[in-house]
Amino acid sequence: MRDFYLINVIDKFLFIALSFITLGFIVYLASFYRKNKKVFYKFLLITGIQLIILFVFQFTPYLLFGIVLSYKEIFFLILELILGGLFIGIYISNQRYRIL
């Protein structure tokens, strides 16, 4: 019984910690979008980063536990990776001197 309560406390603590991190990320993104008028390219950069992170977090459990993926899951994972790289590539190609 004690392990159940420990897992419950850890789960709630991680939820609160991740919510603070997410709130900080949202505030940072709001200021990032306000700095310049090239909102479309900044949107592509942020969306590309989010797609790459989504790919990593979705693919890691399959990699760790050796679960066989269906064709649909493989298609969406590859699509996330390609779109994320494409969006970041478009952003970088439109920057002349700075990356961020």
Side-chain angles (χ1 to χ4, degrees):
M1 271 313 217
R2 196 169 58 169
D3 291 336
F4 172 74
Y5 293 117
L6 179 65
I7 290 173
N8 194 17
V9 168
I10 291 172
D11 181 46
K12 290 183 182 188
F13 175 75
L14 286 175
F15 180 75
I16 291 171
L18 288 175
S19 64
F20 281 122
I21 291 170
T22 304
L23 180 64
F25 185 67
I26 291 171
V27 169
Y28 173 74
L29 287 180
S31 68
F32 185 68
Y33 280 136
R34 288 186 192 135
K35 285 183 183 178
N36 199 348
K37 297 188 182 214
K38 295 182 179 181
V39 176
F40 177 71
Y41 293 113
K42 289 186 176 187
F43 175 76
L44 286 179
L45 174 66
I46 298 301
T47 305
I49 291 171
Q50 288 175 343
L51 284 172
I52 298 292
I53 290 172
L54 184 64
F55 168 78
V56 168
F57 283 121
Q58 283 182 339
F59 187 65
T60 302
Y62 297 117
L63 188 65
L64 290 177
F65 299 120
I67 300 171
V68 178
L69 298 172
S70 68
Y71 292 114
K72 183 179 174 183
E73 292 171 329
I74 292 172
F75 173 74
F76 284 119
L77 282 173
I78 292 172
L79 185 65
E80 287 172 1
L81 186 62
I82 290 172
L83 283 177
L86 181 69
F87 289 168
I88 292 172
I90 290 171
Y91 175 79
I92 290 174
S93 69
N94 286 314
Q95 298 296 316
R96 293 216 160 97
Y97 302 107
R98 295 182 352 187
I99 292 179
L100 294 174

